[in-house]
Structure formats: C-alpha cells, structure tokens
C-alpha cells in the first residue's frame, strides 16, 4: 500500500533562509513522487516530479527535491526563501504498477516566511 | 487555454439536498479525478476516470456519483448531502499520470 508522511504540519523560516520540507513514502516498488504547492484559495500546482530518472529533481520557483531510496525520502528544498513561497505544500506518491489514478497525498505542510 | 474549470466556486446546501459539481477541461486529457480536501487530511480521491465512459471508485466514494459521457466533462453528483460532505472539492486532469495533474481552483461546499 502506498502512503506518504510529511513531517511538520507547519514550518516557519526567515526570508533568505533555507527551506526544507520533509516527505517520506511507503512503497513496495520505486514510486512516482510529486510535490505540489497550494496558494490560498487556489488549486494545486505541480512543483516537481520524480519518475525514476535523475534522483535530484529541479522544479519551478527554485525548488528541488532529492529521491533517496535508502531513506525512502523525497524532501523538498530551496536555498533561499522568498516571501512569495508562503503556501501549503503537498507531497504525493503513485505506484507505477497499480491503477492510473492511485495518487496518495500527504497531509500537507504550511510554510510561513518571516520577513 | 482555460485548463480545468470548476463551477460553482462556493455552494451552501441543506442536508438531504442534491447537487452536481461541474468540471470541464479543454486539454483533451483522458484521465480525470475528483478529490476532497479536509483540514489536516490532505487530499483524498473520490472517483476517477481513465477515459470517456470509464469511471471507478477512489478512496472515499460513498455518497458521490460520477459519469464521463465526454472527454471534456466529469461532473460529481451528491445525491443526498450530509454535513460530513462539507469540504473543498478539486477536479484534476492529465494526459499522463506520470507527468502530474492539472488542478481546478476548487469548489467550497458547506452542508448545513
């Protein structure tokens, strides 16, 4: 069974500081992994995805994530936080061997950026 | 290019009423899904479709029906609304599930 755990429902960083949002997955096979961002009163927007190519994935807005099979992790990072990064971030996993729409989301991490 | 369009944006229903949440996409995507988002629970899959005429249940399908008569439209029906269905509903579509989904802006539903 697929599942995703996001450690920390709220994360606060100062503007210009490193952003680190944690995601651990549970999967019996190498999964597809995604990070989505949700700004207030909006839908989700795809930040980046891992689909078994390079383990370091670069996304939009300066974010990147590294797939670590040994740690079953897919943490999201950004070297320098900007005020516009304040949003809720969701990690999601899909087992490529099961149905096309079995996409499981974590419970989300709300990022606050302090000026 | 409008992407995924959901209507209405807000709705208040009384317990027992029925309604349909509309979802339309203009990207010719075969795969479409409905999710509900509740505080502290992330997004949970209600129903999905892999093409016109083909639908299946997701994680939380009870109380909801769907149909897919065209590639563009994927409406979600609440037959008899209950307060437990108070939530934000998102429709999403994709050409390739490995590539990630495009989400609509959501429908905020309150059942009183």
């Amino acid at each position: 069974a697929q599942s995703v755990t996001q450690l920390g429902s709220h994360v606060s960083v100062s503007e210009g500081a490193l952003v680190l949002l944690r995601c651990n997955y549970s999967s019996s096979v190498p999964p597809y992994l995604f990070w989505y961002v949700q700004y207030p009163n909006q839908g989700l927007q795809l930040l980046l995805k891992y689909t078994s190519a390079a383990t370091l994935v670069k996304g939009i807005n300066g974010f990147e994530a590294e797939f670590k099979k040994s740690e079953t992790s897919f943490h999201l990072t950004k070297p320098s936080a900007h005020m516009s990064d304040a949003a809720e971030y969701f990690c999601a996993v899909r087992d490529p061997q099961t149905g096309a729409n079995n996409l499981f989301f974590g419970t989300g991490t709300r990022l606050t950026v302090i000026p | 290019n409008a992407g995924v369009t959901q209507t209405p944006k807000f709705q208040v229903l009384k317990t027992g009423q029925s309604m349909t949440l509309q979802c339309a996409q203009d990207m010719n995507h075969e795969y479409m899904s409905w999710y509900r988002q509740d505080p502290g629970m992330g997004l949970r899959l209600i129903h999905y479709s892999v093409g016109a005429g083909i639908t299946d249940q997701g994680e939380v399908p009870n109380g909801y029906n769907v149909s897919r008569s065209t590639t563009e439209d994927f409406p979600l029906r609440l037959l008899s609304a209950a307060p437990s269905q108070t939530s934000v509903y998102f429709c999403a579509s994709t050409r390739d599930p490995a590539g990630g989904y495009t989400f609509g802006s959501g429908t905020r539903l309150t059942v009183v």
Side-chain angles (χ1 to χ4, degrees):
Chain A
Q2 304 293 304
S3 69
V4 169
T5 302
Q6 291 184 241
L7 297 177
S9 58
H10 291 86
V11 170
S12 294
V13 300
S14 297
E15 190 175 15
L18 171 71
V19 176
L20 171 60
L21 305 182
R22 300 178 185 275
C23 173
N24 288 88
Y25 68 90
S26 166
S27 172
S28 57
V29 298
Y32 294 162
L33 292 159
F34 307 85
W35 274 101
Y36 285 86
V37 60
Q38 184 180 32
Y39 297 102
N41 300 314
Q42 294 187 25
L44 279 71
Q45 179 182 2
L46 181 66
L47 268 179
L48 49 80
K49 61 187 179 187
Y50 168 77
T51 56
S52 75
T55 56
L56 182 62
V57 180
K58 294 188 184 298
I60 62 173
N61 301 338
F63 284 93
E64 62 182 36
E66 185 173 7
F67 173 71
K68 292 186 176 180
K69 183 178 179 180
S70 60
E71 300 177 6
T72 61
S73 68
F74 190 57
H75 301 333
L76 182 71
T77 60
K78 182 174 181 178
S80 176
H82 192 272
M83 295 299 294
S84 61
D85 295 326
E88 189 153 21
Y89 293 80
F90 292 93
C91 182
V93 62
R94 174 178 171 262
D95 182 346
Q97 292 189 338
T98 60
N101 283 274
N102 287 339
L103 189 63
F104 293 92
F105 284 85
T107 53
T109 298
R110 184 169 300 278
L111 176 66
T112 299
V113 182
I114 303 167
Chain B
N1 193 350
V4 178
T5 302
Q6 291 185 238
T7 56
K9 292 190 181 302
F10 302 93
Q11 183 71 49
V12 178
L13 286 180
K14 294 182 179 180
T15 298
Q17 286 184 318
S18 64
M19 80 161 294
T20 299
L21 307 185
Q22 301 293 343
C23 175
Q25 51 91 9
D26 61 358
M27 299 171 285
N28 201 32
H29 288 170
E30 290 295 324
Y31 301 91
M32 297 186 74
S33 302
W34 275 103
Y35 290 87
R36 59 177 291 172
Q37 183 180 26
D38 301 292
M41 303 189 71
L43 279 79
R44 292 179 292 168
L45 181 65
I46 304 172
H47 285 285
Y48 64 93
S49 169
V50 299
I54 306 170
T55 63
D56 207 345
Q57 297 180 350
E59 184 183 358
V60 288
N62 292 341
Y64 308 95
N65 280 351
V66 292
S67 61
R68 184 95 180 271
S69 57
T70 67
T71 299
E72 294 77 20
D73 300 300
F74 191 42
L76 178 72
R77 281 182 287 275
L78 284 71
L79 300 178
S80 179
S84 61
Q85 294 178 305
T86 293
S87 186
V88 181
Y89 292 84
F90 288 101
C91 179
S93 74
T94 186
R95 177 171 291 112
D96 174 9
Y101 280 80
T102 299
F103 281 78
S105 57
T107 294
R108 186 175 295 274
L109 175 68
T110 302
V111 182
V112 298

